[in-house]
Amino acid sequence: MDSELLISCRFQGKILADSNSMIDTRDKWALADVSYEIKPDISFQHVLGFGYSFEPTSCYNLMRLPPRARHEVLSLLVDPARGAGLNLWRLCIGSPDFSYKFYSYDDLPGGETDEHLDRFSIDEDRRYVIPVVKEALAINPGIQLFASPWSPPAWMKIPEPHWRKGTLEERIGGNGMCSGRLDPRWYDAYATYFVKYLQAYKAEGIDIKAVTVQNEPHHNWVLMPTCWWDGENERDFIRDHLGPKIQQSGLATEIWCWDHNWGQIHPARYPVTVLSDPGAAQYVSSIAFHHYDMVHVSNMGKFHSMFPGKHVQFTEGSLLWLWGAARLAAYLRNWSQSYVGWVPFIDTNGDPNIGPFKTKRTMLQPVVPGAEPVIKEAIPAPHQYPVDPALLDGGPFKAILARYDYYLLAHYSKFIRRGALRIKSTRKMPLLGGEVSFKNPDGSIVSVITNRRRVPMRVHVALHGRHYRFQLPARSIATLHLSP
């Protein structure tokens, strides 16, 4: 097999640097800090993709860029040759917390209802989200999309005191979308709301692969769009309303259940309630997880063992620094078909963002004049600022910053293709190391190895009787790509 080794180490000024000359291929085992054998004949889950979110905050900033600069930034994100090749993107059904305003597709004056959804409209998405998605699809037609709501329209909701964060007096904006639960009398109308969204986007030339019923259904906060769901409610909604309506519409859109932290998988908990019901389970293809409770990642693997016929997806949670790159290997080793981060393009003022979770850091950032970014992980200038500043002339930003996190994710997303199979790799991995291996549809092998230690790590990889030895610098990541 022909070999390709790419290493990123910010302390050595290396970003996806060609390091093939470092490989020693003598046919014998040797002393190493990490030794593992790749076994392509033993496989696990397929890969669906890697990506981020096209939520209102990022799309608003992207649409403020001059057209050529926007094309460059989107190419950095989705182009598999020129950029990271991110090919799985999350959309929001209505607005999430990261937005310039809170809205649904059927906002009404207080006291009014719209049972037949006569006033349904996605016009707000046509301002920023839809143009960005269309341009991204033009650059990479292989992108797939899934979508999640943060709240139904306010007129469909009733108060919910369970685990509510904050008081009603603290409520801001949102036309009643902040906190509460869906009134069961509107289950059928809300299922129609989903179908109308899918059909409206399809009419725009945008197909949605999957939907989740609710982003973080055990989140009930008055400061942002949220909606409380119990497992029993989602079970009934999928079984009796959403599943049948999507099927009757002729759409091929999948349903992914849960869409919250992986700590909630005890048999008495929410996602098990949904999937233990055959009527609901027939419509559900995957369970979606977030990582914010930081319970051990092996819970995803345990869930796969409970329901081996359902796929596992990781649908929200950004991974930062080398720690995050190593953790991503663990997510993939625990049966996730995907990795999707959250908010790729907020400006250096942290705008726009009217929600309660504030940040001034994303993997790519437009730099606002006078709001210089805090950079704790400096990398060589051509990689730190990858867009020609001349393309930004006439716009509100003076530079586009790429953080180290962007390149760390690219070590996975540029090389592991959709449809790749995770394969067995026997290993003795030291503390602060991480590794995961895949076989691409073209037969090539990809192994991603991280070294979080303060000292170099000697690596020895065996495949089909051939040996590949190299030294991984301190605090670095490597992608070993072996072509058939």
Side-chain angles (χ1 to χ4, degrees):
M1 281 188 154
D2 294 332
S3 61
E4 179 183 22
L5 179 67
L6 298 110
I7 290 178
S8 291
C9 178
R10 64 186 181 90
F11 298 104
Q12 294 185 1
K14 294 181 177 180
I15 298 295
L16 290 166
D18 183 351
S19 306
N20 219 42
S21 61
M22 296 173 56
I23 296 180
D24 178 354
T25 57
R26 285 175 292 178
D27 292 334
K28 64 178 182 179
W29 287 96
L31 183 65
D33 301 300
V34 175
S35 297
Y36 62 95
E37 182 177 3
I38 298 174
K39 297 185 176 182
D41 295 335
I42 303 175
S43 61
F44 306 95
Q45 81 274 21
H46 286 91
V47 170
L48 178 59
F50 301 86
Y52 255 79
S53 56
F54 284 136
E55 82 307 315
T57 287
S58 295
C59 293
Y60 177 93
N61 282 329
L62 284 162
M63 290 303 293
R64 295 183 74 200
L65 295 172
R68 289 177 61 199
R70 180 171 60 252
H71 187 84
E72 285 298 304
V73 172
L74 284 171
S75 295
L76 286 170
L77 291 169
V78 306
D79 191 310
R82 297 179 55 211
L86 299 174
N87 61 3
L88 182 64
W89 287 82
R90 190 186 197 195
L91 302 180
C92 306
I93 301 176
S95 71
D97 48 324
F98 277 79
S99 185
Y100 55 89
K101 66 180 287 188
F102 294 154
Y103 64 90
S104 78
Y105 301 129
D106 201 342
D107 292 328
L108 306 177
E112 294 187 18
T113 61
D114 184 17
E115 179 178 359
H116 301 294
L117 303 177
D118 296 324
R119 285 175 274 186
F120 178 95
S121 172
I122 62 167
D123 280 351
E124 191 64 40
D125 283 2
R126 291 192 173 99
R127 297 179 65 191
Y128 305 111
V129 175
I130 288 175
V132 166
V133 173
K134 286 183 174 181
E135 187 168 352
L137 284 167
I139 296 169
N140 181 356
I143 287 172
Q144 292 189 345
L145 303 150
F146 69 97
S148 308
W150 268 241
S151 174
W155 56 268
M156 292 187 182
K157 299 176 75 174
I158 55 178
E160 170 55 53
H162 196 85
W163 286 11
R164 186 170 64 212
K165 298 180 182 179
T167 64
L168 292 178
E169 288 72 25
E170 294 175 305
R171 185 175 184 157
I172 60 170
N175 300 323
M177 293 169 60
C178 304
S179 81
R181 69 157 66 232
L182 181 66
D183 187 334
R185 73 188 178 110
W186 296 120
Y187 277 10
D188 203 59
Y190 193 41
T192 300
Y193 181 91
F194 273 83
V195 171
K196 288 178 76 71
Y197 166 79
L198 296 170
Q199 292 172 333
Y201 262 68
K202 191 174 185 65
E204 294 286 340
I206 301 170
D207 289 318
I208 309 296
K209 176 180 176 60
V211 293
T212 69
V213 171
Q214 172 65 42
N215 172 72
E216 297 183 349
H218 274 186
H219 196 179
N220 183 29
W221 202 354
V222 300
L223 298 180
M224 58 180 277
T226 53
C227 187
W228 179 273
W229 289 73
D230 297 311
E232 292 79 7
N233 305 134
E234 182 165 322
R235 175 197 64 199
D236 297 349
F237 179 67
I238 291 173
R239 182 190 64 209
D240 302 331
H241 303 278
L242 183 60
K245 279 194 179 289
I246 289 177
Q247 188 175 76
Q248 292 161 13
S249 74
L251 294 164
T253 306
E254 301 172 10
I255 299 173
W256 298 351
C257 76
W258 184 223
D259 205 16
H260 207 165
N261 295 328
W262 55 48
Q264 305 283 343
I265 66 164
H266 185 276
R269 300 286 180 89
Y270 189 121
V272 178
T273 299
V274 175
L275 290 181
S276 294
D277 183 283
Q282 68 176 315
Y283 296 113
V284 176
S285 65
S286 297
I287 180 168
F289 286 113
H290 302 184
H291 65 189
Y292 298 116
D293 59 4
M294 286 301 173
V295 173
H296 200 277
V297 63
S298 63
N299 275 358
M300 282 200 296
K302 292 175 183 176
F303 187 87
H304 176 267
S305 298
M306 295 171 66
F307 297 95
K310 303 301 180 184
H311 302 306
V312 174
Q313 313 293 346
F314 183 86
T315 51
E316 184 188 311
S318 298
L319 290 168
L320 308 179
W321 309 297
L322 200 59
W323 171 88
R327 193 165 176 84
L328 177 50
Y331 293 3
L332 298 168
R333 278 185 164 271
N334 280 276
W335 290 94
S336 182
Q337 290 190 318
S338 56
Y339 165 77
V340 177
W342 177 235
V343 187
F345 200 63
I346 203 166
D347 75 25
T348 50
N349 273 329
D351 292 325
N353 178 16
I354 63 171
F357 296 107
K358 304 301 181 183
T359 184
K360 293 184 179 180
R361 176 201 172 96
T362 49
M363 68 173 183
L364 294 180
Q365 290 194 267
V367 178
V368 178
E372 301 305 318
V374 176
I375 301 174
K376 295 182 179 179
E377 65 293 341
I379 57 179
H383 299 287
Q384 194 94 73
Y385 295 97
V387 176
D388 183 352
L391 298 180
L392 299 168
D393 288 348
F397 306 117
K398 71 174 190 178
I400 303 298
L401 169 70
R403 296 189 182 272
Y404 193 36
D405 310 325
Y406 165 78
Y407 296 103
L408 295 174
L409 179 55
H411 269 272
Y412 291 88
S413 59
K414 280 182 72 70
F415 303 98
I416 302 168
R417 306 301 184 196
R418 175 171 293 130
L421 278 168
R422 179 171 68 88
I423 53 179
K424 186 173 180 61
S425 48
T426 60
R427 61 184 181 144
K428 182 181 180 183
M429 185 62 63
L431 187 67
L432 303 181
E435 177 274 329
V436 66
S437 297
F438 293 86
K439 182 178 181 179
N440 279 324
D442 65 2
S444 63
I445 303 296
V446 176
S447 189
V448 183
I449 315 105
T450 54
N451 177 20
R452 294 169 54 212
R453 306 190 306 173
R454 295 175 181 268
V455 296
M457 187 165 72
R458 296 167 296 176
V459 180
H460 188 157
V461 182
L463 171 66
H464 295 323
R466 299 194 67 177
H467 298 258
Y468 305 87
R469 292 191 296 277
F470 54 91
Q471 181 164 281
L472 196 54
R475 297 180 180 179
S476 66
I477 183 171
T479 298
L480 179 63
H481 183 213
L482 303 172
S483 301

